[in-house]
Amino acid sequence: MTPRTGHIGLNVTDLDRSLAFYRDVLGFALLAEGKEGEEGERRYAFLGSSDGDGGPVLTLWQQARAPYGEDRAGLHHLALEVDTIDQVRTYETALRGHGVTFAHEGVVAHREGAASGGIFFHDPDGTRLEIYAPSGAEGAPAPSDQAPTCGFF
């Protein structure tokens, strides 16, 4: 048996800022929050599906002192799957309205000729994020014909 991903935990520098991003821009629901003074001065938030299905999907821990560093071992990026490319584009519009900078212009394919694809961007602490759909990106450009798009942004 292969284990399944239970939830992802991200260290953040400012819980309020990150919570606003993941809740208000990406649509995660706040399931529980630990206030300052609890858990040895660490604040945290458990986030889950906005439709109330299941438990925590993402946990934000306010314990980082510096932004994400792509030159260190650890999380490479967090990929979030949606059902359709139209949903990806809806997120792209919301993220642009929030002033997010993208690694590539618009929806890109996961590799040359792939049906799957999405958008690639960073959260407020610089953590690399991807929102993708498993199909619908046929004909979208691939930033590299030699490597998966998600590997090197």
Side-chain angles (χ1 to χ4, degrees):
M1 178 172 101
T2 304
R4 293 177 302 282
T5 302
H7 69 273
I8 307 293
L10 296 178
N11 285 337
V12 300
T13 58
D14 181 331
L15 182 64
D16 295 327
R17 179 183 69 178
S18 293
L19 181 57
F21 179 79
Y22 284 93
R23 182 192 57 216
D24 302 342
V25 180
L26 296 183
F28 284 95
L30 177 61
L31 303 179
E33 183 176 6
K35 302 292 184 188
E36 202 158 344
E38 296 177 17
E39 294 295 311
E41 299 301 312
R42 293 183 183 158
R43 294 179 59 212
Y44 61 90
F46 291 148
L47 305 176
S49 171
S50 60
D51 62 14
D53 270 355
V57 172
L58 187 63
T59 305
L60 305 176
W61 300 96
Q62 182 174 296
Q63 58 189 18
R65 291 189 173 93
Y68 172 82
E70 63 185 53
D71 61 338
R72 293 188 295 271
L75 179 72
H76 180 274
H77 74 284
L78 175 59
L80 304 168
E81 183 180 342
V82 295
D83 294 328
T84 69
I85 286 295
D86 286 340
Q87 290 172 321
V88 172
R89 289 189 177 103
T90 298
Y91 278 107
E92 179 185 12
T93 299
L95 290 161
R96 285 195 191 283
H98 196 69
V100 169
T101 302
F102 291 81
H104 309 290
E105 188 56 39
V107 171
V108 295
H110 277 139
R111 66 176 50 243
E112 194 68 39
S116 63
I119 53 176
F120 299 83
F121 56 97
H122 297 83
D123 80 356
D125 278 308
T127 301
R128 295 182 287 200
L129 299 171
E130 166 187 1
I131 297 178
Y132 76 96
S135 63
E138 298 87 346
S144 170
D145 59 353
Q146 301 297 315
T149 301
C150 63
F152 300 97
F153 78 98

Short mmCIF file of all heavy atoms in Angstrom, two decimals, residues 16-17 41 46 52 54 84 86-87 102 108 128 153:
data_model
loop_
_atom_site.label_atom_id
_atom_site.label_comp_id
_atom_site.label_asym_id
_atom_site.label_seq_id
_atom_site.Cartn_x
_atom_site.Cartn_y
_atom_site.Cartn_z
N ASP A 16 -1.33 36.22 8.98
CA ASP A 16 -2.48 36.99 8.50
C ASP A 16 -2.41 37.23 7.00
O ASP A 16 -3.40 37.05 6.28
CB ASP A 16 -2.57 38.33 9.24
CG ASP A 16 -2.87 38.15 10.73
OD1 ASP A 16 -3.58 37.19 11.08
OD2 ASP A 16 -2.36 38.96 11.53
N ARG A 17 -1.25 37.60 6.50
CA ARG A 17 -1.07 37.84 5.07
C ARG A 17 -1.26 36.55 4.27
O ARG A 17 -1.97 36.53 3.26
CB ARG A 17 0.32 38.42 4.82
CG ARG A 17 0.63 38.68 3.35
CD ARG A 17 2.02 39.18 3.16
NE ARG A 17 2.96 38.10 3.47
CZ ARG A 17 4.27 38.21 3.36
NH1 ARG A 17 4.82 39.34 3.00
NH2 ARG A 17 5.04 37.18 3.63
N GLU A 41 3.84 30.12 21.36
CA GLU A 41 3.93 31.37 20.60
C GLU A 41 3.74 31.20 19.10
O GLU A 41 3.77 32.15 18.37
CB GLU A 41 5.26 32.09 20.86
CG GLU A 41 5.47 32.50 22.30
CD GLU A 41 4.39 33.44 22.82
OE1 GLU A 41 4.06 34.41 22.13
OE2 GLU A 41 3.85 33.16 23.89
N PHE A 46 -5.45 25.85 9.92
CA PHE A 46 -5.79 24.66 9.14
C PHE A 46 -6.77 25.09 8.06
O PHE A 46 -7.82 25.66 8.37
CB PHE A 46 -6.43 23.58 10.00
CG PHE A 46 -5.50 22.94 11.00
CD1 PHE A 46 -5.98 22.50 12.21
CD2 PHE A 46 -4.16 22.76 10.72
CE1 PHE A 46 -5.15 21.88 13.13
CE2 PHE A 46 -3.31 22.16 11.64
CZ PHE A 46 -3.80 21.73 12.84
N GLY A 52 -16.64 22.18 2.51
CA GLY A 52 -16.76 21.50 3.80
C GLY A 52 -16.44 20.02 3.77
O GLY A 52 -16.58 19.35 4.78
N GLY A 54 -14.19 16.88 4.00
CA GLY A 54 -12.90 16.42 4.49
C GLY A 54 -12.24 17.33 5.50
O GLY A 54 -12.78 18.34 5.92
N THR A 84 -11.09 21.84 -14.70
CA THR A 84 -11.07 22.32 -16.08
C THR A 84 -10.09 23.48 -16.27
O THR A 84 -9.76 24.19 -15.32
CB THR A 84 -12.47 22.83 -16.52
OG1 THR A 84 -12.76 24.04 -15.80
CG2 THR A 84 -13.55 21.79 -16.28
N ASP A 86 -10.85 26.14 -17.81
CA ASP A 86 -11.61 27.36 -17.51
C ASP A 86 -11.49 27.74 -16.04
O ASP A 86 -11.40 28.92 -15.70
CB ASP A 86 -13.09 27.20 -17.89
CG ASP A 86 -13.30 27.24 -19.40
OD1 ASP A 86 -12.42 27.76 -20.12
OD2 ASP A 86 -14.35 26.75 -19.86
N GLN A 87 -11.47 26.76 -15.15
CA GLN A 87 -11.27 27.04 -13.73
C GLN A 87 -9.87 27.58 -13.49
O GLN A 87 -9.68 28.49 -12.67
CB GLN A 87 -11.52 25.78 -12.89
CG GLN A 87 -12.98 25.38 -12.85
CD GLN A 87 -13.18 24.03 -12.19
OE1 GLN A 87 -12.39 23.10 -12.38
NE2 GLN A 87 -14.24 23.91 -11.41
N PHE A 102 3.46 35.98 -12.40
CA PHE A 102 3.47 34.62 -12.92
C PHE A 102 4.83 34.26 -13.50
O PHE A 102 5.53 35.12 -14.04
CB PHE A 102 2.38 34.46 -13.99
CG PHE A 102 1.00 34.53 -13.41
CD1 PHE A 102 0.40 35.75 -13.14
CD2 PHE A 102 0.30 33.37 -13.12
CE1 PHE A 102 -0.86 35.83 -12.59
CE2 PHE A 102 -0.97 33.43 -12.56
CZ PHE A 102 -1.55 34.66 -12.30
N VAL A 108 0.03 27.32 -19.58
CA VAL A 108 1.05 26.61 -20.35
C VAL A 108 0.88 25.11 -20.16
O VAL A 108 0.36 24.66 -19.14
CB VAL A 108 2.49 27.04 -19.95
CG1 VAL A 108 2.74 28.50 -20.31
CG2 VAL A 108 2.75 26.81 -18.47
N ARG A 128 6.57 28.44 -4.41
CA ARG A 128 6.12 28.21 -5.78
C ARG A 128 4.83 27.40 -5.78
O ARG A 128 4.72 26.37 -5.11
CB ARG A 128 7.20 27.49 -6.57
CG ARG A 128 8.44 28.33 -6.74
CD ARG A 128 9.49 27.66 -7.55
NE ARG A 128 10.11 26.59 -6.80
CZ ARG A 128 11.30 26.07 -7.10
NH1 ARG A 128 11.96 26.50 -8.14
NH2 ARG A 128 11.79 25.10 -6.38
N PHE A 153 10.62 26.26 -12.55
CA PHE A 153 10.18 27.65 -12.48
C PHE A 153 10.56 28.25 -11.14
O PHE A 153 10.95 27.57 -10.23
CB PHE A 153 8.68 27.77 -12.78
CG PHE A 153 7.75 27.39 -11.66
CD1 PHE A 153 7.20 28.37 -10.86
CD2 PHE A 153 7.40 26.07 -11.43
CE1 PHE A 153 6.31 28.02 -9.85
CE2 PHE A 153 6.52 25.72 -10.43
CZ PHE A 153 5.98 26.70 -9.64
#
